Amino acid sequence: MQRLFLLLFLTSTFISSAQNSVQMNSSEILLHLQKLNTIGSVLYIAAHPDDENTRLLGYMAREKKLRTGYLSLTRGDGGQNLVGKEQGDALGLIRTQELLAARKVDGAEQMFTNAIDFGYSKNPEETFSIWHKGNTLAEVVRIIRKFKPDVIICRFPTTGEGGHGHHTASAILALEAFDAAADPNEFPEQLKEVNIWKTKRILWNTFNFGGTNTTAPNQIKLDVGIYNPLLGKSYGEIASESRSMHKSQGFGSAKGRGSSIEYFKLLKGDSAQNGLFTGIDNTWNRFPATAHLEKLINDCIKKFDAVSPQNMVPDLVNIYKQLQQLDENDPDLAYWKKQKSKEALDLILACAGLWMEAYNNDFTVIPGNNMNLSVQIIKRNNTEAKLLSVKYPGSDTTTNMSLKTNELYTFKRSEKLPVSALFSDPYWLALKHGVNRFTISNRLLIGTPENVPDTKVVFEVEISGFKFELVRPVVYKYTDPVKGEVYRPLEILPPATINSAEKVLMFTGTSPKSIQLIVKSSAANISGNVELKVPEGWKVELKETEFKLLNKGDEAVFEATVTPVKNASDGKLNASVNVGGTTYNKSIKRIEYDHIPYQFILSDAETGLVNVDLKKSGNKIGYVPGAGDDVAACLKQIGYDVTILTDDLLSNENLSKYNAIVTGVRAYNTTERLQVHYTKLMEYVKNGGNLIVQYNTNNRIGPVLAKIGPYPFTISRDRVTDEKAEVKILKPDHAAFNSPNKITAKDFEGWVQERGIYFSGEMDKNYETLISMNDPGEKASEGSLIVTKHGKGNFVYTGLVFFRELPAGVPGAYRLLVNLLSLPKNK
């Protein structure tokens, strides 16, 4: 019986790994063969997307052939956005995908904790108070125990030279997790799912940038600028391609060539006198039971033929069999057995020329509805292979057919998606969360960069007498006339979504306001009713409630009237649709950029209701777009007639009809033509107009492209990150604080994320500073709001984050901005 069991074990195995088909050219096959013969891992830890050293990651992954990971503690949700208007969760989703695109270039893997990037932080104490240090530390420990790195490398030090409080916090957490991961008394509840892990050493990858040089001659040095002939590139060139994936941050980089020295300082652990991996055996000799694998793989490498890689398939299958026989009682050996089995299988499929996929005829599907699947497989060389069966989401089909060389087999199948299938929005956004951490229901997902596809097809194939189960996710693909063949993830959606035209409805009294609600079908023949709920003190009227949408993607537009009673408290309008007796309350936000896969977010369909004591004067506002914000839409919300000032309008229109002109965030960083319009804008101010310029940066990523004000001033990096920081009004008699709204300390309550960024620095004597603020323990800054008279009009530069506060419905931000728009003409 034992011999029979062993025989059965050696002739079949099952692999469950949902991934797209493996495709490698011959150079990549050789590189992966070399990696198969390398045991070892390194984990790089920092705070944000774009903090990572892409040159070092590429070198470790592709030159040293180590399993290389980057743990970014956050998804970059609090950063800036140079490609669109997305902020918060939506920006974090974009930056997650940019990181995954970068990892495809440099060969490393990507991981995250559930900490939220809440914007710039000046010290780790503030960071930990928001992140809940213990929770984040537990996640870093879990990821270390799961990834089992031989070496950990920090991007930043614990002593603050990294500047950002998140940066320093990432190093503190890494250092504490280095010890805690090896201690069974730390986070013992994790040991049901992961084992303790003792990393050999932890180092700091010192740096020389931003005017700070932390490198030293006595530090460990490593030249990572070498050229890899199999890749046809140096690691400086690979690093540039990887870093340039961070498009939302404007991190396009020139390709570096030639020697490039990285420096490292040992923080804890064993001595690294002879290099980062001193005393670490990165060969199969690490385990007594695996020394023979090195020879098998070396023999395979010697046999490698770039023209006929299929000749190695029997040898690779034998290596795979040898891996399956390894004892799993040793958790470290079991870890490498799993990792190297996956690598060996990828090589087998690549060398055998096997390609397979499963795709639906539409990119959306509703639980309980049918999917029309196309399943394809092809063997593109003379390797002997059979397709034994195909397992669909709801059924199996036995085929037991030999695959002919270069013949594409296509199978059509209609399968019902289970009614219990979960909607496929990003797992970390599926539940509501606060400002500090994402809330997830499954702790096993901690560290996972994105959703693991639930809808998949399993191909059972036989290669060289060995059976494999190969899992492929169901996707959607189509042919775009410009882009060619395009893939996008399968989306599991409710039958209909309901979106509000406004995130927040602002009321200035008891007058009613209309709001547009858009119901969109996710499939054909969807009918139902719209349901609206408001809190006590509010009324909502909806004349029509029924909808019937014949085609997928059809929309029905409803107009509701919302009325507050006198002194109504702020609240939310909750919208939902009832389809077939089931209520769905989801809105959908789509994110579509060419550099990342299509993304979407499902969230509760709700609109903020804010009652604000607001008076305004003037009506016509011109708005010059910048890098992207929703301020113009918010001004329309409170009754202004807003015109978007295009280059053509700025050139040809008489600007005097506008009571005020506002420039969008970073307009002077993104619109070079503002230099051409400078004189006209200054004449507009001189003749009695008000020009309000929202924040701009002045650095390599965002240089100022045009003159801004009538008198010179500089833009600094000063900011106040504490959204509750005290605001002192320096000139209480100034019109900015008195007309048409009386501004008091109460107007600075309830602000979100931060007070302001990129304040003015040095300035001409003609400017007045109106407010002062500072983060705890810092010197007060007066550059967040400066004003000067110029002729009959007024010029304002402000770093106050109106672009965050207005969409969030912060009353005081509206009142202050209205006052700036209403500054009186000068005599």
Side-chain angles (χ1 to χ4, degrees):
M1 284 296 294
Q2 288 178 331
R3 285 195 297 269
L4 176 59
F5 176 81
L6 181 60
L7 178 62
L8 289 172
F9 181 83
L10 291 176
T11 56
S12 66
T13 192
F14 301 92
I15 299 296
S16 294
S17 177
Q19 59 179 16
N20 294 321
S21 284
V22 178
Q23 297 189 70
M24 304 181 199
N25 59 37
S26 288
S27 290
E28 291 168 331
I29 288 172
L30 182 53
L31 284 168
H32 280 76
L33 277 170
Q34 295 167 349
K35 184 174 183 178
L36 187 61
N37 222 5
T38 305
I39 302 295
S41 57
V42 56
L43 180 63
Y44 202 85
I45 299 179
H48 310 108
D50 73 40
D51 284 345
E52 75 274 25
N53 184 337
T54 53
R55 184 182 283 105
L56 181 61
L57 290 180
Y59 176 87
M60 290 293 178
R62 299 195 180 276
E63 184 66 27
K64 301 301 291 183
K65 316 295 189 305
L66 299 167
R67 188 181 187 198
T68 304
Y70 173 45
L71 171 56
S72 174
L73 298 188
T74 74
R75 296 177 183 267
D77 332 80
Q80 309 304 314
N81 185 357
L82 293 182
V83 298
K85 297 181 180 180
E86 293 85 0
Q87 296 176 26
D89 291 344
L91 177 58
L93 188 54
I94 291 171
R95 298 187 72 184
T96 293
Q97 291 300 320
E98 289 177 340
L99 267 181
L100 290 171
R103 299 295 79 80
K104 288 178 181 177
V105 173
D106 57 42
E109 301 173 43
Q110 186 60 52
M111 288 154 278
F112 298 96
T113 72
N114 291 314
I116 292 176
D117 177 1
F118 55 85
Y120 191 86
S121 176
K122 293 184 177 177
N123 57 71
E125 291 77 22
E126 179 196 33
T127 299
F128 288 141
S129 70
I130 294 174
W131 279 355
H132 297 170
K133 181 183 178 184
N135 292 342
T136 308
L137 176 61
E139 291 174 352
V140 177
V141 168
R142 176 183 284 272
I143 290 167
I144 290 173
R145 286 171 170 174
K146 184 177 179 181
F147 193 77
K148 297 182 182 294
D150 296 310
V151 172
I152 295 174
I153 301 174
C154 302
R155 168 77 283 188
F156 301 106
T158 61
T159 45
E161 290 91 337
H164 201 313
H166 296 181
H167 294 169
T168 306
S170 72
I172 293 171
L173 288 169
L175 208 59
E176 292 185 14
F178 172 82
D179 290 327
D183 186 346
N185 296 314
E186 294 284 354
F187 310 107
E189 70 282 359
Q190 297 180 2
L191 300 182
K192 298 175 184 177
E193 296 142 358
V194 291
N195 302 107
I196 60 169
W197 178 252
K198 176 63 177 174
T199 300
K200 194 79 170 176
R201 61 182 60 90
I202 182 170
L203 307 104
W204 166 30
N205 180 198
T206 59
F207 51 80
N208 182 5
F209 55 73
T212 302
N213 184 4
T214 61
T215 64
N218 63 344
Q219 292 173 355
I220 301 164
K221 302 177 188 65
L222 181 65
D223 187 352
V224 299
I226 64 176
Y227 174 79
N228 189 318
L230 289 175
L231 297 172
K233 300 172 185 176
S234 70
Y235 292 101
E237 293 169 301
I238 291 171
S240 166
E241 293 174 7
S242 175
R243 192 157 185 77
S244 295
M245 293 298 175
H246 296 293
K247 299 185 189 304
S248 67
Q249 305 308 295
F251 274 10
S253 302
K255 293 185 177 182
R257 297 175 178 89
S259 177
S260 178
I261 306 299
E262 293 291 339
Y263 293 80
F264 304 88
K265 181 178 180 180
L266 180 67
L267 299 178
K268 266 188 179 182
D270 293 355
S271 169
Q273 185 174 0
N274 297 320
L276 302 184
F277 290 87
T278 298
I280 298 172
D281 189 344
N282 287 333
T283 74
W284 281 108
N285 291 322
R286 178 182 294 203
F287 305 104
T290 61
H292 66 291
L293 287 171
E294 182 171 11
K295 181 179 185 306
L296 290 175
I297 298 170
N298 279 333
D299 289 344
C300 210
I301 292 172
K302 291 175 184 176
K303 188 183 286 189
F304 172 72
D305 182 346
V307 177
S308 302
Q310 65 269 26
N311 294 342
M312 295 189 303
V313 170
D315 302 274
L316 287 168
V317 169
N318 180 48
I319 291 169
Y320 187 90
K321 290 178 182 178
Q322 297 292 323
L323 286 167
Q324 303 319 297
Q325 295 179 59
L326 296 178
D327 186 4
E328 295 194 6
N329 289 325
D330 179 347
D332 301 341
L333 180 55
Y335 167 85
W336 284 110
K337 172 184 175 179
K338 180 181 178 181
Q339 186 64 26
K340 292 303 176 180
S341 291
K342 180 183 178 301
E343 292 177 19
L345 179 57
D346 288 347
L347 279 165
I348 290 168
L349 297 180
C351 291
L354 268 178
W355 175 93
M356 62 209 74
E357 71 176 6
Y359 57 93
N360 192 35
N361 69 336
D362 197 352
F363 64 90
T364 62
V365 63
I366 297 170
N369 280 17
N370 282 344
M371 298 180 291
N372 294 309
L373 302 179
S374 295
V375 173
Q376 294 184 321
I377 185 169
I378 186 172
K379 176 179 70 74
R380 291 181 282 196
N381 59 41
N382 59 6
T383 299
E384 288 188 11
K386 292 181 180 179
L387 177 63
L388 303 178
S389 68
V390 180
K391 298 180 180 179
Y392 297 92
S395 62
D396 299 350
T397 298
T398 301
T399 55
N400 201 25
M401 58 188 295
S402 295
L403 298 175
K404 296 180 181 179
T405 299
N406 213 30
E407 183 170 326
L408 180 65
Y409 297 86
T410 302
F411 308 95
K412 302 286 187 178
R413 189 83 168 193
S414 180
E415 291 283 341
K416 182 172 286 189
L417 185 69
V419 176
S420 59
L422 299 177
F423 301 142
S424 52
D425 50 329
Y427 77 85
W428 63 96
L429 300 177
L431 301 175
K432 283 190 174 182
H433 61 82
V435 298
N436 51 2
R437 300 181 55 75
F438 295 114
T439 302
I440 63 170
S441 57
N442 182 0
R443 65 180 179 273
L444 297 180
L445 291 173
I446 293 171
T448 306
E450 61 179 342
N451 289 8
V452 178
D454 287 326
T455 308
K456 43 193 178 285
V457 169
V458 181
F459 297 79
E460 186 183 17
V461 299
E462 183 180 299
I463 306 171
S464 294
F466 201 76
K467 296 177 184 177
F468 301 90
E469 283 198 347
L470 308 168
V471 182
R472 295 294 178 264
V474 175
V475 297
Y476 172 69
K477 73 173 183 178
Y478 65 99
T479 303
D480 182 276
V482 175
K483 302 174 186 175
E485 188 172 78
V486 178
Y487 284 82
R488 65 186 294 171
L490 182 70
E491 300 176 2
I492 302 175
L493 299 177
T497 55
I498 181 165
N499 280 38
S500 167
E502 307 291 347
K503 296 177 183 177
V504 177
L505 272 182
M506 302 295 297
F507 292 83
T508 59
T510 57
S511 298
K513 280 203 166 193
S514 295
I515 183 171
Q516 209 175 66
L517 300 160
I518 302 169
V519 176
K520 187 166 187 172
S521 63
S522 303
N525 299 314
I526 300 296
S527 59
N529 299 283
V530 173
E531 300 173 348
L532 301 178
K533 293 180 181 179
V534 292
E536 186 177 351
W538 297 82
K539 297 178 182 178
V540 62
E541 294 181 13
L542 188 63
K543 292 181 179 179
E544 299 290 334
T545 64
E546 294 185 358
F547 61 87
K548 187 173 184 179
L549 304 173
L550 298 179
N551 303 302
K552 182 208 165 184
D554 282 355
E555 295 180 352
V557 179
F558 295 84
E559 190 164 293
T561 302
V562 182
T563 308
V565 300
K566 190 174 182 180
N567 299 322
S569 299
D570 296 348
K572 291 184 183 296
L573 166 70
N574 294 292
S576 59
V577 293
N578 189 296
V579 177
T582 302
T583 297
Y584 302 92
N585 68 335
K586 296 300 180 183
S587 65
I588 188 166
K589 178 180 180 62
R590 293 199 171 276
I591 301 171
E592 299 182 358
Y593 292 103
D594 285 344
H595 71 291
I596 61 173
Y598 292 102
Q599 303 293 309
F600 72 93
I601 299 173
L602 291 176
S603 55
D604 290 350
E606 55 187 30
T607 300
L609 303 174
V610 178
N611 208 349
V612 56
D613 178 14
L614 179 69
K615 303 177 183 66
K616 68 184 186 71
S617 63
N619 187 53
K620 295 188 73 64
I621 304 294
Y623 200 86
V624 181
D629 60 67
D630 288 320
V631 172
C634 292
L635 293 176
K636 290 180 182 178
Q637 250 301 315
I638 55 174
Y640 282 109
D641 178 8
V642 181
T643 299
I644 301 300
L645 295 179
T646 62
D647 183 67
D648 181 61
L649 288 178
L650 283 171
S651 297
N652 300 308
E653 193 169 48
N654 183 351
L655 301 181
S656 64
K657 66 181 182 180
Y658 299 108
N659 302 108
I661 293 175
V662 183
T663 64
V665 298
R666 299 193 308 280
Y668 287 84
N669 298 138
T670 59
T671 309
E672 191 171 356
R673 290 277 297 171
L674 282 176
Q675 177 64 47
V676 176
H677 302 306
Y678 172 77
T679 301
K680 188 172 183 178
L681 287 170
M682 291 302 104
E683 283 297 313
Y684 162 77
V685 176
K686 194 173 182 178
N687 292 330
N690 291 329
L691 177 61
I692 292 87
V693 175
Q694 296 183 83
Y695 92 90
N696 289 267
T697 64
N698 194 13
N699 52 37
R700 182 189 69 83
I701 297 171
V704 173
L705 303 175
K707 289 177 68 177
I708 298 180
Y711 311 108
F713 68 94
T714 62
I715 296 173
S716 73
R717 293 183 62 85
D718 290 352
R719 61 179 71 206
V720 171
T721 63
D722 183 354
E723 68 274 19
K724 298 178 182 178
E726 181 185 3
V727 177
K728 295 179 181 177
I729 296 176
L730 301 176
K731 293 181 172 60
D733 295 332
H734 196 282
F737 304 117
N738 292 280
S739 178
N741 303 288
K742 179 65 177 178
I743 302 299
T744 68
K746 185 174 176 60
D747 289 293
F748 294 97
E749 295 177 0
W751 284 47
V752 298
Q753 186 161 324
E754 56 201 348
R755 287 291 191 199
I757 54 179
Y758 296 103
F759 295 173
S760 60
E762 296 178 358
M763 65 190 78
D764 186 272
K765 65 182 181 180
N766 285 292
Y767 288 103
E768 295 181 90
T769 58
L770 299 186
I771 57 179
S772 170
M773 61 178 71
N774 59 275
D775 280 315
E778 293 193 354
K779 181 181 177 182
S781 173
E782 298 181 0
S784 63
L785 179 60
I786 64 171
V787 181
T788 186
K789 297 176 180 179
H790 183 58
K792 295 180 180 179
N794 302 279
F795 172 85
V796 177
Y797 174 82
T798 179
L800 296 174
V801 287
F802 290 112
F803 74 99
R804 294 197 195 280
E805 310 309 320
L806 268 58
V810 177
Y814 276 91
R815 287 162 49 84
L816 178 57
L817 182 56
V818 166
N819 281 15
L820 296 176
L821 298 173
S822 308
L823 289 172
K825 289 186 178 181
N826 306 307
K827 296 180 180 180

